[in-house]
Amino acid sequence: MSATLSRQRKRIADPAFRWFVTLAGASVFVILAGMVIRTTNDAWPIFQYQGFFSFLTGDQWLAGSSRTDSDFTGTYGAWPFIYGTLVTALIAIVIALPLALCVAFYINQLAPKRLRNPLSYSVEMLAAVPSIIFGMWGFFWLLPNVLRPFLEWLESTFGWINLAGWKPFEGPVFGSSYLAAGIVLAIMILPIITAIVREVIAVNPVDQQHAAYALGATRFEVMRKVVLPSSFSGIVAASMLGLGRAVGETVAVMMLIGSTKSWDGSLLSAGDSMAAHIAARFGEATPETTKALMAIGVVLFLFTMIINIGARLLVWRIGRVSGDAAV
Amino acid sequence: MATGLATPLTPHGGRRPTEGAPVVFELGGVNVSYGTHRAVRDVSMDIHEREITALIGPSGCGKSTVLRCLNRMNDLVPGASVSGKVAYRGADLYGADVDSIEVRRRIGMVFQKPNPFPKSIYDNVAYGLRFGPDRLSRSDLDDRVEAALTSAALWDEVKDKLNSSGHALSGGQQQRLCIARAVAVRPDVVLMDEPCSALDPIATAKIEDLMQKLADEFTLVIVTHNMQQAARVSDRTAFFTADTDSEGVRHGRLVEYDATEKIFNRPADQRTEDYISGRFG
Ligand SMILES: Nc1ncnc2c1ncn2[C@@H]1O[C@H](COP(=O)(O)OP(=O)(O)OP(=O)(O)O)[C@@H](O)[C@H]1O
Ligand SMILES: [Mg+2]
């Protein structure tokens, strides 16, 4: 009896497959660790030379030309690039998220039935357009035709605003600027956020929506009080994906931000971002500068990590507060 | 019983239509289409105040569709359209100046699957009271919530845990919570689409008792798959069936509508008799 139940064939494929997938899984950690260690290791002398804190906050970036791990001659304050990354990504997400919610809501709830599929395919297609194309379109068409006049209008209307010394719309207007880059980034991340949000709200269980409708809720109330709260974690995930793209975006920002090393707080002035600066300077870098660029890379990596952890915490907290527990 | 069945098949609950009860809904030649599919055709019936009207019939015969006409939930189905006369207390429910939001505040609905919100019991019941024109004070809100839970025969079971989640209740309690939520806005009519089909017999019996009590206050229209239930709880019963037209399109039709006691003891139509005696294909 027991003989028939014991293994009849040798299953070589099984253990082999197990090993293969285990290796594939482990490679995630290997790659991550390898990248972090290698980059940090290369950047380390710079942090030692400059001091980590003054690397983050200094606003002078003067590349040196040492060929060794010592005798550095440059000054490395990455704040202008950090500021550029932060500001452009924030502008992008602040513009893109509400728009994405509206577009997704329109496609799911208001658009005529025959428009829904074409609309959502188009959004998904836009999400797949390479960023260089957004960059070119932004630089050659949007900037001269739309953004420049808009920035000039902002400058002449809101140029006077002064928030404790920070003048966000102070001139002069050159065109290429934090705001121009941020707006193009917003357009760039809009489709991906919309596509995810649309999917998240499309799979929202209808029975609670029906319950609200049956109590006399309007479409807007159902969206705001039923669909959005229960889609919250999906919306956060979509935003973080968009934010991550905006923070890491290189080429489109490079084309629109103006690439200056000087730092000026005004959103209308030109600057640079971490990713754009690395990409622009890598080719001509001396060994010393290469290390400095690696150091920017480490900071950029820290940023994306913080965004990810922040997203998880947010989802986890909201999940605990509003999930199945009482509100 | 001369023309009917030798013995009643189903114990009748004893409810009878009230003589001269005002008409709440008047349906005349109602057709409902989903896209090009004319799913329900030519339904005419009157629904009376403070009665329990049961809609029965085989699956797909259009019971839910007809029920959703009564509070304009069909508006939410893309492509659905309603023609014919649907009058609510004498006014055309589909008239140009009628606001479907207002309609649904007057005509509440309870669904097949209990669907409380992922909120506290209190917030579930207060949900419909918190939007719309009238903003209630906290103590008024408390009173309304208690009254609604009492009407739904749930107050004693939940009064000590109003702040715990509605999802933490049993299925039958959840369904009564949904009934409380629907009656909290003091509707005129409560529609129920197979409210007991997800529940066990004891929870079902509780909801059936509850329906009897609610009928003192509200007009109830219920859809049920369960003929015994229709016989036990309702005043009038409408029997629908699915027909096939000359082009082979299946559609729902109202076969017979009468006092429940008559439908179950002396049905006028052979198809009704076949259905309630279980001879239906
Ligand atoms: N949302 C919808 N879209 C398209 N067709 C629908 C929709 N809802 C119902 N129908 C069609 O209308 C007809 C009647 O359906 P309905 O759900 O009203 O039947 P029912 O009597 O409630 O059935 P059941 O007892 O299974 O709930 C069916 O042919 C069904 O396919
Ligand atoms: Mg149904």
Side-chain angles (χ1 to χ4, degrees), chain A residues 40 43-44 46-58 76-78 82 295 298-299 302:
Chain A
T40 315
W44 201 251
I46 293 289
F47 289 134
Q48 268 183 331
Y49 163 70
Q50 188 72 50
F52 187 64
F53 188 70
S54 90
F55 182 86
L56 292 183
T57 55
Y76 301 105
I82 296 174
V298 171
V299 175
L302 281 178

Side-chain angles (χ1 to χ4, degrees), chain A residues 207 211 213-214 216 225 324 326, chain B residues 101 104 113 115 127 163 165 181:
Chain A
D207 51 350
Y213 280 123
K225 294 175 113 180
D324 275 9
Chain B
I101 304 301
R104 294 188 204 116
K113 198 170 137 235
N115 55 359
Y127 195 84
N163 286 321
S165 171
R181 182 176 66 186

